[in-house]
């Protein structure tokens, strides 16, 4: 069958590829920025939810970016030794003296050889903050779309 009409079009694929690389590079930076904002949102949420006695636990919550090649992510945590006990609670347990023969604290009627601790209820602060990751990330992504 013979063509009665035809149109010839040439597409400069190099120019298209350069434009696409620029766009994807910019999008990649935008996504990295959204992940970084999400990291700070999760960190701040964990701090907000942390139980406060002295403020040490709350102020110890930190985060860091973890970027490797095409993958971006983050870690949020704390170096306070009792953080897991606060997050998950503790079972009833006995406390014994480490260096002395008895335990004593201000307000105690007398020194004691053992304290029967009733345990503590969990006061989750990390897990609820981490569970909000998707909400924070979607919000941060929507700000990218809204700005274009």
């Amino acid at each position: 069958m013979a063509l009665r009409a035809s149109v010839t079009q040439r597409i400069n694929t190099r120019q298209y590829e350069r434009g696409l690389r620029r766009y994807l590079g910019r999008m990649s930076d935008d996504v990295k920025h959204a992940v970084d904002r999400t990291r700070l949102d999760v960190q701040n949420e964990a701090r907000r939810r942390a139980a406060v006695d002295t403020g040490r636990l709350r102020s110890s919550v930190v985060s860091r970016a973890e970027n490797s090649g095409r993958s971006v992510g983050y870690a949020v945590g704390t170096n306070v030794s009792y953080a897991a006990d606060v997050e998950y609670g503790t079972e009833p347990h006995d406390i014994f003296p480490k260096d002395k023969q008895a335990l004593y604290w201000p307000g105690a009627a007398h020194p004691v050889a053992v304290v029967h601790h009733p345990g503590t209820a969990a006061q989750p602060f990390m897990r609820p903050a981490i569970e909000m990751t998707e909400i924070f990330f979607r919000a941060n992504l929507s700000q990218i779309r809204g700005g274009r």
Side-chain angles (χ1 to χ4, degrees), residues 93-127:
H93 57 280
D94 291 335
I95 302 173
F96 297 95
K98 288 182 181 176
D99 300 324
K100 309 257 178 167
Q101 293 181 0
L103 296 166
Y104 181 80
W105 58 94
H110 53 79
V112 294
V114 64
V115 173
H116 304 289
H117 195 286
T120 57
Q123 299 178 66
F125 62 101
M126 271 307 187
R127 289 174 293 163

Side-chain angles (χ1 to χ4, degrees), residues 22-38:
R22 273 196 312 273
Y23 175 76
L24 291 176
R26 187 169 57 241
M27 180 61 78
S28 177
D29 288 344
D30 287 344
V31 170
K32 286 177 186 176
H33 191 61
V35 169
D36 200 48
R37 285 194 306 242
T38 301

Side-chain angles (χ1 to χ4, degrees), residues 6-122:
S6 67
V7 175
T8 302
Q9 178 67 41
R10 289 185 138 322
I11 298 173
N12 183 342
T13 58
R14 287 186 179 147
Q15 184 177 1
Y16 174 77
E17 286 174 2
R18 277 195 303 268
L20 190 57
R21 281 192 193 109
R22 273 196 312 273
Y23 175 76
L24 291 176
R26 187 169 57 241
M27 180 61 78
S28 177
D29 288 344
D30 287 344
V31 170
K32 286 177 186 176
H33 191 61
V35 169
D36 200 48
R37 285 194 306 242
T38 301
R39 169 183 68 85
L40 294 173
D41 290 340
V42 172
Q43 172 187 295
N44 291 336
E45 184 67 18
R47 284 180 178 175
R48 186 184 72 74
R49 291 173 175 268
V52 177
D53 185 12
T54 64
R56 181 173 173 222
L57 177 61
R58 175 175 281 175
S59 65
S60 75
V61 175
V62 295
S63 64
R64 70 174 182 272
E66 294 185 341
N67 302 326
S68 60
R70 293 182 174 260
S71 174
V72 295
Y74 59 87
V76 178
T78 172
N79 63 356
V80 171
S81 61
Y82 57 85
D85 291 342
V86 174
E87 179 79 17
Y88 297 103
T90 62
E91 296 291 322
H93 57 280
D94 291 335
I95 302 173
F96 297 95
K98 288 182 181 176
D99 300 324
K100 309 257 178 167
Q101 293 181 0
L103 296 166
Y104 181 80
W105 58 94
H110 53 79
V112 294
V114 64
V115 173
H116 304 289
H117 195 286
T120 57

